[in-house]
Amino acid sequence: MHTSFTKLLATASFPIMILTAGIFASCDKNSASNHGGQGEEPLPDTLKVVTLYGPTSYFLYRDEPMGYDYTLVDSLARQKGMVLDLKVAKNLSTAVAMLDSGKVDLIAYEVPITQHYKQYVLPCGPENYTTQVLVQPKVQGQAPISDVTDLVGKEVYVEKDSKYLRRMQNLNDEIGGGIIIHEVDADTLITEDLLRLVSNGEIPMTVVDSDIAMLNKTYYPDLDVDMEVSFPQRASWAVAPGKEWLADSIDSWFAGESPQRTNAELLKRYFEQTKFTPSVRFDFSKGYISKYDDIFKKYAPTVGWDWRLMAAQAFVESKFKPNARSWVGARGLMQIMPSTARGYRTSVSQLGNPETSVKVASQLINDLDSYLVKYVPNDKERLKFVIAAYNVGIAHVYDAIALAKKYDLDPEKWDDNVEKAILMKMNPKYYNDPVTKYGYCRGTETVSYVKQITNFYEHARREITA
């Protein structure tokens, strides 16, 4: 009998979100072999899965579920005709306890393949390798440090009480000392903050897992993340010991052509495809903003906006490119998600039409404003909340308002208040807070988005006649 986590974590709490996928259908049967199974059992009608919030595993963006692990397990459920019942645990120990107690069938999250975890879980599905890597800024396109011995006399910033700190302390001992290790309080700065600070030149180096490093390199292309400072760590999804038949069914599915293609696409989307948008200096001297000004003037009054503000949003969204398409699939001049278009009874194929894009955007803006008016009664203050919700989704803005209330910030003011709260949603301490319902979001992107639009708008007001 395997060691039980259930008693250890019987009082652990976790937020739960139920999502369904696929339809009820006749069950597949797969004989268990890779894990030593003794026969065939049917797959369940409902696949009960637990995952964790995070920048790669599972998150909401514009109120749509996304993430490498989520999308892959959703594909599994759909292709096998199962309903996906997805729960979210606060941490991996809680997820393992849920698996042990039978509350879930599968952990769709990277569980380390170690002797410790082999007591509690049976690995299956996608297997990934990560190492800890040094994150440093490129100098003339090259990494200044290419060997661990070059770290002597150099400063490295890592999270306090983290595995990164322990690895750097061990590495320092291995090379005879000399690395200047700075411990950063995770309540103040987290891993993603440290990567941003390296990119901005505010700190020289940090250490993170290679998958997090690769993801963030798609936002900060000036970073070098190639130098490994630890041995590789294997990780995979997991089922409970004794469920060899389920592990083999998942392995058999994952080996198929379609899942392999989906996996390759997801790896490219999350860890390779650039998400960096270079700054573009806009020329206001020509006396107009874009060739779509008449469209903005037509629809801006329907939301009570200055048309120049709507133009500012279009510039930040697409740089006025009607055929633009983002890494998450948003399309057109106003970067409308396909599901949003369908919600407003608009064909996705029409999103390349500038007027259609602006029309749908105006409908969305009106709805977001109506959702937020009871939280932020002041029209002027509410404007930035609406812009933020357009960017990341209303759910995360609701969470940020709740966090602002709890942590003595003004929930009716964006600047320096709810703006700070949405940044908190990058930190596990806060996106797992009881008042937070919708988990992780990349708050830095939303804060930057609001600032870019308001700055462009203020410039346009000075230069372009209404």
Side-chain angles (χ1 to χ4, degrees):
M1 181 178 294
H2 63 286
T3 305
S4 174
F5 260 52
T6 308
K7 292 181 181 178
L8 297 175
L9 294 162
T11 60
S13 61
F14 49 89
I16 297 178
M17 181 173 294
I18 303 297
L19 299 170
T20 59
I23 58 174
F24 288 99
S26 58
C27 297
D28 269 6
K29 292 185 178 181
N30 292 288
S31 59
S33 56
N34 296 337
H35 298 87
Q38 301 298 320
E40 299 181 350
E41 290 191 40
L43 289 170
D45 289 333
T46 298
L47 183 65
K48 295 179 290 185
V49 176
V50 63
T51 190
L52 275 66
Y53 283 124
T56 60
S57 53
Y58 174 61
F59 59 93
L60 297 180
Y61 178 74
R62 296 190 175 182
D63 304 320
E64 288 192 29
M66 295 187 180
Y68 169 81
D69 293 297
Y70 166 76
T71 305
L72 204 55
V73 79
D74 183 59
S75 296
L76 166 63
R78 289 179 183 275
Q79 291 178 24
K80 293 295 185 180
M82 295 181 287
V83 171
L84 176 62
D85 177 355
L86 184 70
K87 298 176 175 66
V88 183
K90 284 186 175 181
N91 52 51
L92 186 54
S93 294
T94 304
V96 173
M98 293 169 67
L99 187 71
D100 176 73
S101 66
K103 292 180 180 178
V104 297
D105 305 309
L106 171 69
I107 300 176
Y109 186 80
E110 293 194 353
V111 182
I113 301 175
T114 63
Q115 285 301 119
H116 171 74
Y117 280 107
K118 283 181 179 179
Q119 301 173 77
Y120 313 113
V121 304
L122 186 65
C124 65
E127 183 174 303
N128 294 305
Y129 290 78
T130 61
T131 61
Q132 293 183 35
V133 297
L134 185 72
V135 179
Q136 55 184 321
K138 294 178 182 177
V139 177
Q140 296 181 340
Q142 299 294 321
I145 293 178
S146 57
D147 188 273
V148 293
T149 57
D150 295 334
L151 287 170
V152 174
K154 302 296 192 301
E155 296 179 283
V156 181
Y157 288 71
V158 290
E159 286 184 49
K160 185 178 181 179
D161 298 325
S162 68
K163 62 182 180 180
Y164 309 123
L165 173 60
R166 292 189 290 274
R167 178 59 196 137
M168 291 309 298
Q169 290 171 334
N170 290 337
L171 181 61
N172 194 42
D173 291 339
E174 290 165 15
I175 65 174
I179 304 175
I180 305 168
I181 304 170
H182 296 279
E183 299 180 37
V184 179
D185 191 336
D187 284 343
T188 305
L189 295 170
I190 60 170
T191 300
E192 288 176 287
D193 293 320
L194 295 178
L195 285 150
R196 173 176 52 81
L197 293 176
V198 173
S199 178
N200 292 343
E202 297 177 53
I203 62 173
M205 284 172 281
T206 189
V207 173
V208 302
D209 286 332
S210 55
D211 55 346
I212 297 298
M214 290 296 294
L215 169 68
N216 279 274
K217 187 179 178 181
T218 67
Y219 290 95
Y220 308 119
D222 58 327
L223 296 179
D224 181 273
V225 299
D226 292 336
M227 193 178 116
E228 299 177 355
V229 295
S230 74
F231 292 111
Q233 170 65 65
R234 295 163 60 215
S236 72
W237 291 357
V239 299
K243 294 287 185 72
E244 286 83 3
W245 62 270
L246 180 57
D248 278 325
S249 293
I250 293 171
D251 284 343
S252 177
W253 168 81
F254 186 67
E257 182 179 346
S258 177
Q260 285 293 304
R261 186 167 57 249
T262 299
N263 186 57
E265 291 169 354
L266 290 172
L267 290 173
K268 182 175 181 179
R269 180 190 302 173
Y270 286 102
F271 302 106
E272 297 178 29
Q273 188 174 346
T274 183
K275 302 164 188 70
F276 170 72
T277 303
S279 298
V280 176
R281 179 171 293 181
F282 191 81
D283 180 13
F284 288 95
S285 64
K286 53 188 181 292
Y288 62 93
I289 297 179
S290 78
K291 61 182 179 180
Y292 307 112
D293 287 0
D294 287 342
I295 299 175
F296 301 135
K297 290 175 181 178
K298 177 179 177 180
Y299 287 97
T302 69
V303 298
W305 280 19
D306 184 325
W307 71 269
R308 294 168 295 188
L309 178 59
M310 189 168 278
Q313 186 175 32
F315 176 76
V316 173
E317 286 286 357
S318 69
K319 302 297 184 291
F320 300 127
K321 298 175 182 176
N323 294 317
R325 186 165 180 172
S326 77
W327 71 277
V328 293
R331 305 181 187 194
L333 195 66
M334 302 299 285
Q335 290 292 277
I336 304 297
M337 296 292 285
S339 61
T340 302
R342 289 189 289 267
Y344 290 110
R345 299 181 180 179
T346 299
S347 169
V348 174
S349 65
Q350 291 298 307
L351 291 179
N353 180 293
E355 181 159 358
T356 300
S357 185
V358 175
K359 179 181 178 181
V360 174
S362 66
Q363 293 172 312
L364 175 58
I365 290 166
N366 257 327
D367 283 342
L368 293 173
D369 188 76
S370 68
Y371 300 150
L372 286 163
V373 67
K374 68 178 180 180
Y375 297 93
V376 191
N378 183 279
D379 292 347
K380 185 176 180 181
E381 288 291 343
R382 191 169 63 253
L383 190 63
K384 290 183 179 179
F385 287 74
V386 172
I387 293 171
Y390 188 102
N391 169 253
V392 76
I394 191 71
H396 292 306
V397 175
Y398 286 153
D399 272 354
I401 290 171
L403 285 168
K405 288 179 181 177
K406 181 170 181 177
Y407 292 98
D408 299 322
L409 299 168
D410 190 335
E412 296 184 12
K413 292 186 182 298
W414 178 261
D415 292 343
D416 297 320
N417 286 276
V418 177
E419 175 186 55
K420 289 182 177 178
I422 207 160
L423 289 171
M424 292 161 65
K425 278 173 58 66
M426 297 176 68
N427 189 325
K429 175 181 176 180
Y430 298 106
Y431 66 69
N432 285 322
D433 190 284
V435 303
T436 304
K437 306 300 182 186
Y438 303 102
Y440 169 90
C441 83
R442 196 176 179 93
T444 49
E445 297 301 304
T446 302
V447 169
S448 174
Y449 178 83
V450 174
K451 287 180 177 177
Q452 288 180 64
I453 290 174
T454 53
N455 289 343
F456 187 104
Y457 173 53
E458 289 303 319
H459 199 164
R461 286 180 62 191
R462 293 192 299 268
E463 302 292 338
I464 305 296
T465 302

